[in-house]
Amino acid sequence: MSEPKNATDDQERLLTAIKAGAGDNLAERVTSARMVAGRAVVVVEAAGLSGSERKDAEQQIDAALSPLDGVSEVRVALMGERVKRRIIAVGSGKGGVGKSTLTANLGIALAVLGHRVGVIDADIYGPSQPKLLGTEGKKPVAENEQLIPLESPHGLKMLSMGNLAKPAQALAWRGPMVGNALTQLVEGDWGDTELLLIDLPPGTGDVQLSMLQKHKPDGAVLVSTPQDLALIDAARAGQLFETGKVPIIGLVENMAGYACPHCGEMSDPFGKGGFETLAQRLDIPFLGRIPLSMDVRVAGDKGSNLVATDSDTGAAFRLIAQKLATWLEQEAG
């Protein structure tokens, strides 16, 4: 086949190949097709297409154009309605209360409910989402100066410094570097992801301030264990969100009650009901409590799906996720 003489010939040749290989319906969505230094660059009107349909369109066009003479690479740009992406922060003023575990399991449960979910591990110094979401050892790539999120085996996307840094590497970064790292994660190429859950580090420091200034969440979920010391720190985190005019969606009480595996008797090593009482006092919705369970530790260490199990803990995560989904629907309405 001879090389085309001008841009019009290029477009006609590429469109003809797309019609032959991908069909008239997809070809009609093509708004531009041209050759640039051996690359076939195709712009497609993708409004109304689902995520899977967009991916199919890219694959079909690539398959149709790659065999053509003079085509060394195919690039497809999908244009259309911008995904309205919402950000939900999961935080607490104190470490070790279960923010990361809650974020991961909420993400999995929301994905099961049909939401297109991404998880951002904003705990720059102590990332744990790679283990929780089963992506340890994988490293995201960058395209056009954007990070491409990793696909978790549990049906959602994720980005974490834990996948970018060397294993067990200590990050001795100052505030501006931490803020830049958060921006790189939030501004990754999330595609058709509609909901980002941000797993915040403990406290009210650089990450939280950078988030409020540059990537203000649509809402926040606070998690705490029942004891008074944790509640004091959680209240501080709540004040930060209120100051930043971020709605607090609700409170989650973690490690609430432990059933003895031998006799079944319940005990409350961290106290009972403290966070629920705080929610009532502050007139904030109480989303639920998660028991202290061996299931959580085992699933977290293995990066397995606790939400899909018939355990009490799995049911608790599903219930909280359903309440969060209801809140999202009401806000959208």
Side-chain angles (χ1 to χ4, degrees):
M1 183 179 292
S2 61
E3 287 293 319
K5 296 180 180 180
N6 53 48
T8 301
D9 290 341
D10 279 339
Q11 177 148 316
E12 289 180 356
R13 182 172 75 123
L14 296 176
L15 283 174
T16 298
I18 293 171
K19 286 181 181 179
D24 290 341
N25 288 339
L26 183 53
E28 289 175 358
R29 286 181 172 270
V30 175
T31 60
S32 172
R34 55 197 173 93
M35 292 294 298
V36 181
R39 298 188 184 95
V41 181
V42 181
V43 180
V44 177
E45 174 56 54
L49 296 182
S50 67
S52 61
E53 289 171 336
R54 287 168 177 251
K55 185 175 293 185
D56 287 344
E58 289 184 87
Q59 293 173 345
Q60 291 176 37
I61 292 174
D62 183 80
L65 300 184
S66 292
L68 295 182
D69 290 344
V71 175
S72 60
E73 181 183 356
V74 178
R75 291 190 178 182
V76 181
L78 299 174
M79 310 298 289
E81 299 171 353
R82 182 178 177 87
V83 175
K84 183 180 180 181
R85 186 169 299 130
R86 289 186 284 181
I87 297 176
I88 301 298
V90 180
S92 180
K94 185 175 176 59
V97 298
K99 293 182 296 298
S100 297
T101 299
L102 177 63
T103 304
N105 284 281
L106 280 183
I108 295 170
L110 287 166
V112 171
L113 290 173
H115 293 269
R116 299 188 295 274
V117 184
V119 169
I120 293 176
D121 191 347
D123 195 345
I124 306 299
Y125 299 119
S128 54
Q129 291 299 339
K131 178 175 283 293
L132 289 167
L133 291 176
T135 62
E136 277 190 307
K138 297 181 180 180
K139 189 171 183 177
V141 298
E143 293 183 5
N144 300 321
E145 299 184 353
Q146 279 186 299
L147 288 171
I148 307 300
L150 295 171
E151 299 281 349
S152 166
H154 308 310
L156 45 78
K157 297 179 180 181
M158 61 88 64
L159 280 175
S160 168
M161 282 304 301
N163 296 106
L164 292 166
K166 295 178 180 179
Q169 178 185 6
L171 297 179
W173 288 358
R174 294 185 182 275
M177 296 178 69
V178 173
N180 290 336
L182 176 64
T183 296
Q184 289 292 315
L185 300 179
V186 175
E187 296 183 355
D189 185 0
W190 291 98
D192 64 352
T193 300
E194 62 182 0
L195 176 64
L196 291 179
L197 301 180
I198 299 187
D199 174 17
L200 291 173
T204 54
D206 291 322
V207 170
Q208 286 84 349
L209 294 176
S210 295
M211 178 189 64
L212 290 175
Q213 291 170 355
K214 299 179 181 180
H215 316 287
K216 186 176 177 180
D218 296 270
V221 174
L222 296 181
V223 57
S224 176
T225 49
Q227 75 266 39
D228 290 344
L229 185 60
L231 296 178
I232 292 171
D233 291 334
R236 292 193 181 101
Q239 290 173 356
L240 178 69
F241 286 121
E242 289 177 349
T243 301
K245 300 188 185 308
V246 175
I248 297 178
I249 301 169
L251 311 185
V252 175
E253 188 170 89
N254 194 24
M255 306 181 198
Y258 174 71
C260 175
H262 304 293
C263 67
E265 182 179 353
M266 292 294 298
S267 60
D268 299 291
F270 293 104
K272 182 178 180 181
F275 217 25
E276 183 174 10
T277 301
L278 179 64
Q280 293 173 350
R281 189 168 74 242
L282 299 178
D283 195 24
I284 296 174
F286 182 70
L287 300 180
R289 52 172 50 89
I290 302 166
L292 180 63
S293 167
M294 185 70 73
D295 295 340
V296 176
R297 197 274 299 169
V298 173
D301 286 348
K302 292 182 177 180
S304 58
N305 187 347
L306 179 62
V307 170
T309 68
D310 293 329
S311 66
D312 292 341
T313 310
F317 283 125
R318 291 193 298 271
L319 177 61
I320 294 168
Q322 184 60 65
K323 291 181 178 180
L324 178 54
T326 299
W327 184 88
L328 291 167
E329 291 169 3
Q330 291 173 344
E331 290 298 304

